[in-house]
């Protein structure tokens, strides 16, 4: 690096970063750089760059400082008060502040990953087109339009082995070829950014951190299929993603990267955002199209498939955000390179949102085929609070729970399905011994029941009936025959429902019964919740033998229900207790049950 | 039917200028019903009855169809909402981290349940499926301010903060 190279201060500003106070940190940097005359002092430019999500949301605000002398150093948990020290010590005096530097686990977290789709996220300013162009932006679409025929582009994607990252895992190239083969000159392209799965947020982070790469992916798909208009359907709960994508679209139109005769290449493509309005079922492609048309977002039976008759009756191709974000890398680096990553049946990388009772929650991108165990223990540091691992829920409400016995399952589409879960959108919610599996099943069913559009009977009535049974069990009024009823109903609903929501909604129940049947039985026969989670079945008392007299429960209790003095075993006063479980969660020694 | 004079229903006094402007903006766009309703909701805070009649007339759709759309999506509201909208995320990550006790504490402190508004129009409470900041779970939002790593104690702090804010 030459001496004239500037200094870069990268501040993580995804939704996670902003909620941790990234805006204030940025303002403080800008203010102090000007006030202290830092630029003049060090004789270099100091650029403050706001970037998208860097993955380790639990440690926000993350600030990376890149200087020619010290290279790249990451600071975590930065607050505005730290800014002056970073400027004085690190940038002016060229000394790393060891105390504030992210600890070794941050490097483990980063080094264990393989970033392809998320290369731009956390590195570039998502609101500057130039930043994207510097990273070879729009080179892939230029190569497609100038050097390749549409059929060659589809072939390249087919050869790469890319499968749909929305969760279904249908081969992308094949999907494109169906729509390309449909007759007609007017076709639609839709990007599904209705990421409704609770526990998954990679689509949001991509849109927030690198919106141009999604636009470019869509342009390539549009060229390959022959679409002239595109929609990005974003859920309304993601205001920042909508805002950044809209800015990116406006800039593209302004600079001639969208619209008629893009960059003089003789290729037309128009794009706009369609805001969702809070309905989970709209992630289903036929429901999504109904929503764009301005109707209630209800699915319809297939065939006809969208590739033949989709939006407003025209042939339509729908892919997920992460799928589109992969495309430009396949074109730039070639299908052979892409196919060399991952496993035989799942190529490339996959982003997982690892959350729950794990030490380092966040977004991780790893080559497909890494084992679930490695993702949780190697990359994310294992279980928090020294507790024991119980299960990991993969794939959101459509997925299932994987117990400790099958932790070595590789993360690819087929292995996960074999283990009773699915890739889904890539949410991994880690659960420890304090999580009750019956309660988790009830939770997902409450969600899917509420979000069922009500069009078909198995989903509308069946889910309600199953939920009633689960509620009875968690309240201690279950019967042994309930388990068989649940299994039977689950199988029927899966078979008979109209769309993906109903077809997958029973999965959390089926997988928890399969692996955690003993917990169901404990609830029904012993009227006991083994994880001390179901309110109605709890006694709430301190176990004197386990209590280490630390007083953590007292500090957590909001209603004066704990009596504790230094060196004494805590006592729980039942009259004051609201059963809020704060003490239970605070106790690291499982001394309250 | 009785012979008593029909009860005079006071027409809701509402300025429709803004609604008309929103309709003008989307008039020629295909699939314009949702963006129009979203615009109205942004402008008025909810979707008032007179605007529904207006939309029906100007976009040439049945009011029943509009109600169908309004009641299907969680983000449309037919009643006025509080000045401070409290949203508690009850997604999976938040659920396993104890979102339930956060919602229940809010219920207890505010005396309202899910999707309800306090009488003084200060607070509306909502459980939402996933706000997508799972790393900060459990999560609450008040209007645009995000509160991560929520605890029961923080509930009281939040309510105190917003009780102190002026209504206008």
């Amino acid at each position: 690096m030459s001496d004239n190279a500037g200094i870069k201060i990268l501040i993580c500003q995804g939704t996670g970063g902003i909620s941790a106070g990234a805006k204030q940190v940025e303002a403080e940097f800008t203010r102090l750089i000007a006030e202290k005359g830092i630029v003049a002092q060090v004789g270099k430019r100091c650029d403050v760059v706001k970037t998208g999500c860097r993955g380790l949301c639990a440690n926000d605000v993350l600030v990376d400082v890149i200087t020619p002398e010290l290279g790249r150093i990451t600071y975590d948990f930065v607050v505005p008060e730290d800014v002056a020290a970073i400027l004085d010590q690190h940038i002016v005096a060229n000394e790393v502040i060891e105390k504030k530097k992210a600890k070794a686990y941050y490097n483990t977290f980063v080094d264990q990953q393989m970033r392809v789709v998320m290369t731009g996220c956390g590195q570039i300013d998502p609101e500057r087109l130039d930043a994207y162009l510097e990273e070879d932006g729009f080179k892939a679409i230029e190569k497609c339009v100038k050097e390749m025929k549409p059929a060659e582009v589809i072939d390249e994607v087919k050869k790469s082995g890319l499968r749909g990252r929305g969760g279904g895992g249908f081969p992308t190239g094949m999907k494109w070829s169906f729509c390309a083969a449909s007759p007609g000159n007017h076709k639609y392209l839709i990007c599904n950014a209705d990421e409704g799965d609770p526990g998954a947020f990679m689509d949001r982070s991509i849109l927030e951190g690198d919106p141009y790469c999604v636009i470019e992916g869509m342009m390539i798909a549009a060229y390959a299929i022959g679409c002239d208009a595109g929609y990005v359907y974003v859920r309304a709960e993601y205001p920042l993603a909508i805002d950044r994508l809209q800015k990116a679209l406006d800039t593209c139109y302004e600079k001639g990267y969208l619209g008629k005769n893009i960059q003089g290449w003789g290729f037309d493509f128009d794009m706009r955002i369609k805001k969702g309005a809070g309905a989970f079922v709209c992630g289903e492609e036929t429901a999504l199209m109904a929503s764009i048309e301005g109707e209630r977002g209800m699915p319809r039976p297939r065939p006809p498939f969208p590739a033949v008759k989709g939006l407003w009756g025209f042939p339509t191709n729908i892919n997920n955000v992460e799928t589109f974000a992969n495309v430009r890398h396949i074109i730039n680096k070639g299908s052979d390179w892409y196919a060399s990553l991952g496993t035989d049946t799942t190529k490339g990388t996959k982003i997982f949102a690892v959350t729950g009772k794990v030490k380092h929650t966040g977004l991780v991108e790893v080559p497909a085929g890494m084992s679930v165990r490695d993702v949780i223990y190697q990359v994310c540091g294992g279980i928090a609070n020294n507790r024991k691992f119980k299960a990991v829920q993969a794939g959101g409400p459509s997925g299932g729970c994987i117990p400790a016995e099958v932790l070595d399952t590789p993360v690819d589409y087929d292995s996960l399905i074999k283990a009773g879960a699915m890739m889904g959108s890539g949410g991994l919610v880690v659960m420890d011994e304090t999580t009750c599996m019956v309660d988790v099943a009830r939770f997902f069913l409450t969600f899917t029941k509420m979000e069922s559009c009500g069009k078909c009977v198995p989903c509308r009535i069946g889910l309600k009936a199953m939920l009633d049974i689960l509620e009875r069990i968690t309240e201690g009024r279950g019967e042994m025959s309930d388990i068989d009823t649940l299994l039977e109903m689950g199988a029927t609903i899966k078979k008979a429902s109209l769309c993906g929501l109903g077809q997958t909604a029973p999965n959390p129940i089926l997988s928890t019964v399969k692996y955690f049947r003993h917990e169901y039985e404990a609830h029904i026969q012993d009227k006991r919740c083994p994880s001390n989670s179901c309110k109605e079945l709890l006694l709430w008392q301190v176990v004197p033998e386990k209590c280490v007299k630390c007083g953590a429960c007292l500090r957590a209790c909001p209603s004066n229900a704990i009596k504790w003095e230094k060196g004494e075993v805590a006592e729980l006063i039942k009259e004051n207790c609201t059963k809020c479980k704060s003490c239970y969660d605070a106790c690291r020694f499982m001394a309250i049950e | 039917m009785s012979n008593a004079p029909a009860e005079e229903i006071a027409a809701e006094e509402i300025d429709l200028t803004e609604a008309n402007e929103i309709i003008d903006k989307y008039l020629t766009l295909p699939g314009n019903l949702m963006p129009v309703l979203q615009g109205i909701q942004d402008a008025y805070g909810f979707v008032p009855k007179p605007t529904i009649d207006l939309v029906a007339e100007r976009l040439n759709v049945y009011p029943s169809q509009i109600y169908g759309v309004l009641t299907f999506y969680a983000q449309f509201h037919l009643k006025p909402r509080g000045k401070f909208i409290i949203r508690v995320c009850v997604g999976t990550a938040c659920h396993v981290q104890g979102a339930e006790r956060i919602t229940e504490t809010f219920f207890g402190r505010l005396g309202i349940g899910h999707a309800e508004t306090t009488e003084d129009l200060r607070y509306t409470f909502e459980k939402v499926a996933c706000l997508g900041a799972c790393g900060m779970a459990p999560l609450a939002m008040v209007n645009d301010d995000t509160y991560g790593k929520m605890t029961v104690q923080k509930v009281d702090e939040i309510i105190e903060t917003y009780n102190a804010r002026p209504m206008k």
Side-chain angles (χ1 to χ4, degrees), chain A residues 15-16 19-20 57-58 60 196-201 204 231 233 235-238 272 274-279 281-282 287 290-298 312 355-358 361-362 393 396 429-431 434-435 439-440 442-444 447 450-451 453 535 554-558 580-582 585, chain B residues 25-26 29-39 42 61 64-76 87 89-102 104-105 109 114 127-137 139-141 144-149 151-154 156:
Chain A
T15 299
S19 64
C57 308
D60 273 326
D197 268 18
F201 51 101
R204 194 204 62 189
Y231 282 96
Y233 189 93
R235 62 192 297 239
E237 286 88 340
Y238 288 173
R272 64 184 309 140
K274 173 81 195 179
K275 232 166 68 170
V281 70
C282 288
S291 184
I292 292 182
E293 289 169 9
E295 311 271 328
R296 294 166 74 109
M298 289 205 184
W312 284 297
T355 57
K357 312 263 180 166
V358 68
T361 56
Q393 151 77 32
V429 184
V430 181
M431 298 162 186
T434 63
T435 317
D439 179 63
V440 167
R442 184 189 62 89
F443 165 77
F444 280 114
F447 178 78
M450 210 160 75
E451 295 293 343
C453 79
K535 246 183 170 179
L554 176 79
R555 287 188 290 279
C557 179
C580 75
K581 279 172 63 185
S582 296
D585 281 346
Chain B
K25 196 171 144 199
Y26 293 107
L29 182 81
N32 50 10
L33 183 55
M34 270 188 35
V36 163
L37 294 174
Q38 280 168 332
D42 283 345
V61 283
S64 62
Q65 195 189 336
I66 302 179
Y67 277 105
V69 168
L70 288 174
T71 51
F72 184 82
Y73 296 99
Q75 302 235 324
F76 290 120
R87 293 193 177 95
C89 177
V90 292
T92 322
C94 291
H95 180 76
V96 302
Q97 301 278 36
E100 201 164 326
R101 64 164 174 271
I102 310 294
E104 280 176 13
T105 314
R109 300 289 195 272
H114 167 60
K127 291 197 267 189
V128 290
C130 188
L131 291 168
C134 311
M136 314 284 289
L139 194 86
M141 268 180 99
D144 291 332
D145 303 332
T146 317
Y147 297 90
K149 308 227 157 100
T151 60
V152 173
Q153 278 103 332
K154 275 201 200 167
D156 291 324

Side-chain angles (χ1 to χ4, degrees), chain A residues 452-495:
Chain A
S452 167
C453 79
K455 190 170 182 175
C456 71
V457 179
C459 183
R460 182 178 70 232
I461 314 255
L463 296 183
K464 168 86 171 80
M466 282 178 103
L467 181 61
D468 285 345
I469 297 177
L470 284 176
E471 279 176 350
R472 257 201 353 252
I473 297 177
T474 54
E475 287 163 10
R477 297 183 288 113
E479 287 157 23
M480 281 309 278
S481 61
D482 284 345
I483 299 182
D484 289 331
T485 315
L486 284 176
L487 291 178
E488 209 177 294
M489 289 189 69
T492 312
I493 294 172
K494 277 180 77 132
K495 229 180 271 164

